[in-house]
Structure formats: structure tokens, C-alpha cells
Amino acid sequence: MAADAHAPTASEYIVHHLQHLQNIKQKSIIDFSVINLDSIVVSATLGVLSLFVLWLAARKATSGVPGRFQAAVELLVEMVDNQAKANIHNAQSRKFIAPLALTVFVWIFMMNAMDMLPVDLLPVLWQGVQGDSHAYLRVVPTADLSTTLGLSSAVLILCFFYSIKIKGMGGWAHELVTAPFGTSKNPVFALILGVINLAMQIIEYVAKTVSHGMRLFGNMYAGELVFCLIALMGGAAAMSLSGVLLPLGHIIAGSIWAIFHILIITLQAFIFMMLTLIYLGQAHEAH
């Protein structure tokens, strides 16, 4: 009875699992002083691991018959390279952008794949380390909006960089005030169109950046929430010795969602990579 009295409710369980390990307690929806330490540590660790895997593949590459690992990496590199060639027509730019796209795909896939771990595994281990049952830890960095918007903002900065590099500062500035509606020989109309064009360009950049990050965040956050709900079915089954359908449903639902989620984590990594290539390709093109 005492254990039942202190057992968290379903809503408390989910709220606990959706709380980040932070430097300070968040006091408002937008608070730039708050740092999600778990997202930073996990994403940095997986970033290093991703680079190590790619380095290992390059180091062990042979000209003979490739092994399974080398063949898989070669297929991945060829796929990314083909997409880079289709979107980036500047060969010099592709020397940096193609490896960047490959790194982005592998890194995001690794971060997404953290969602395949049992929901309570790492948080419970962290609670044991901390000695606190209320210790927080989230292990899916891409289910954190700060992470995904940070990634999309980095893509935006690269778009600015290549716009200036390819078109020059003057050419890019001219494009900002003349596209998409053009300009006019009349000074008054030219000024009005320039303001409208600049506003439209700003809206376009903001919309692309926000949607780029929100798409990845939304899908991974929803997947994490579904795993929490499925875990609740297992908890309810454990407390009900007479229940038969509930634990069976937990196993079936968990297995089906895990298999389906493998497609989601791969697809979301591919979509983010493709949008990165498309946006950088647009930065090379003149309106």
C-alpha cells in the first residue's frame, strides 16, 4: 500500500521523462539562460562516435572485395554524393558540402536512434548515479527543440556564407531587394518593391529555418511520447497480476512501434540532410 501511495501517476511519469537535465530551472517558455545539459552531452558524444565510425570506414577501406561494413558505408557515401551533385552544381562547393551532408545524416540518425533504447534504462541509471529518484535525463537530443533549431540555424548561416561567396556581397544584397517581385525604374516604386522584396526574403529565410528544425523535433518528440505511453502499459501490467491482454498488448504495441520507428528515425535523418542540400543549392542560384 505504501509503495502504491508513492507510485507516480501516468501524467507524472510522462512529465518526469519529458523534463531535461538543466543548469537552472526554466521559468518561462523562452529562457535563453537555460541550458539542456543532457542534449549537449549526448549529442556531442554521438557526434564524436559518428566521426569515429566514418573515420574507421575510411581507414579500413580496401580496393578489393569490400566487407559488409565497407559496402554499407560505400552505399551511403554514394547516395549522399549523388544527392549533392543533383543539388549543388558547383564542384568546388561540393568538396565541403557533400562530406557535411554525410556527417549530418549519420549524426542525426545516431541521435534519433537513441529513441530505440528502453525508455527507463538510462534515466534509471542516472538516478542511481545521482542518488535521487527525481533526477532528470532525456537521451534523445533531436526531441529537444533547442538542438534541432540549432542545427537548422547552422544551415542558415551556411546559406548566408555561400550566398555571399558565390554572388558577392553586392550581388546578394541586390537579390534581397529585387526578388521575387523584381524592381522598377520609378524610384518610388523601386523603394516600395525593395521593402516588400526584403520582407519576403526575411520571411522565407525564417520560415525555412523554423520548419527545418520543427519538422525533425515534432516527429522525434511524438515518437518519444508514444514510447512513454507504451511503457505505461507495461507498468500497468506489472501492477495487475490478473491482466492478460494488457501485457500482451504492451509487447505487441512496443514491437510494432519499434519496427515502424526504425523507418522514422532513418527517414527524418534523410529529410533533414536533403533539405540541407536543397537550401544550400538555392544559395548558389540567382533569382
Side-chain angles (χ1 to χ4, degrees):
M1 294 297 292
D4 292 342
H6 294 287
T9 64
S11 59
E12 290 173 342
Y13 175 84
I14 292 177
V15 169
H16 178 83
H17 276 280
L18 296 181
Q19 177 65 42
H20 287 280
L21 173 64
Q22 300 173 326
N23 60 329
I24 59 175
K25 187 175 181 180
Q26 187 169 342
K27 298 179 180 179
S28 60
I29 296 178
I30 300 177
D31 189 347
F32 291 104
S33 63
V34 175
I35 300 175
N36 294 336
L37 300 174
D38 44 13
S39 295
I40 293 176
V41 172
V42 174
S43 60
T45 302
L46 293 175
V48 173
L49 181 60
S50 300
L51 292 176
F52 174 74
V53 170
L54 295 175
W55 172 82
L56 192 64
R59 184 173 178 270
K60 292 188 174 182
T62 61
S63 58
V65 179
R68 293 180 180 179
F69 177 62
Q70 180 180 336
V73 174
E74 286 180 355
L75 286 173
L76 178 60
V77 171
E78 184 179 0
M79 180 272 292
V80 174
D81 188 56
N82 289 336
Q83 296 299 331
K85 289 179 180 178
N87 290 279
I88 312 294
H89 303 298
N90 186 306
Q92 189 66 28
S93 296
R94 279 203 308 271
K95 291 181 180 180
F96 173 77
I97 294 177
L100 171 69
L102 177 63
T103 305
V104 165
F105 177 83
V106 175
W107 189 23
I108 292 180
F109 175 82
M110 295 284 280
M111 289 191 287
N112 291 350
M114 293 297 289
D115 212 8
M116 301 300 293
L117 294 176
V119 172
D120 294 300
L121 177 61
L122 294 182
V124 168
L125 293 177
W126 178 245
Q127 288 175 3
V129 172
Q130 290 288 92
D132 182 4
S133 61
H134 296 287
Y136 299 111
L137 182 68
R138 292 183 68 182
V139 297
V140 187
T142 45
D144 178 6
L145 188 58
S146 300
T147 301
T148 58
L149 285 183
L151 291 170
S152 62
S153 296
V155 174
L156 176 66
I157 293 173
L158 283 175
C159 288
F160 290 160
F161 171 79
Y162 279 107
S163 293
I164 296 173
K165 180 181 179 180
I166 300 299
K167 305 164 189 174
M169 179 60 77
W172 184 48
H174 180 265
E175 182 180 276
L176 289 176
V177 297
T178 57
F181 300 121
T183 186
S184 173
K185 294 182 179 179
N186 186 300
V188 177
F189 288 155
L191 178 60
I192 295 173
L193 285 173
V195 172
I196 295 174
N197 287 329
L198 180 60
M200 293 297 294
Q201 290 280 356
I202 293 174
I203 292 173
E204 180 183 352
Y205 278 120
V206 172
K208 289 195 299 186
T209 303
V210 173
S211 64
H212 197 189
M214 287 290 290
R215 179 182 288 105
L216 177 59
F217 160 74
N219 282 279
M220 297 314 302
Y221 185 88
E224 187 179 31
L225 187 58
V226 170
F227 274 122
C228 286
L229 294 173
I230 293 174
L232 284 173
M233 293 176 62
M239 297 176 63
S240 177
L241 298 177
S242 60
V244 177
L245 295 179
L246 193 59
L248 181 61
H250 169 246
I251 296 173
I252 295 175
S255 301
I256 292 176
W257 181 247
I259 295 171
F260 178 67
H261 207 57
I262 294 174
L263 300 177
I264 294 177
I265 63 179
T266 307
L267 183 61
Q268 290 305 313
F270 178 78
I271 291 174
F272 195 96
M273 180 204 72
M274 283 300 304
L275 289 176
T276 298
L277 290 174
I278 291 171
Y279 293 158
L280 291 176
Q282 291 175 347
H284 285 71
E285 299 172 356
H287 286 276

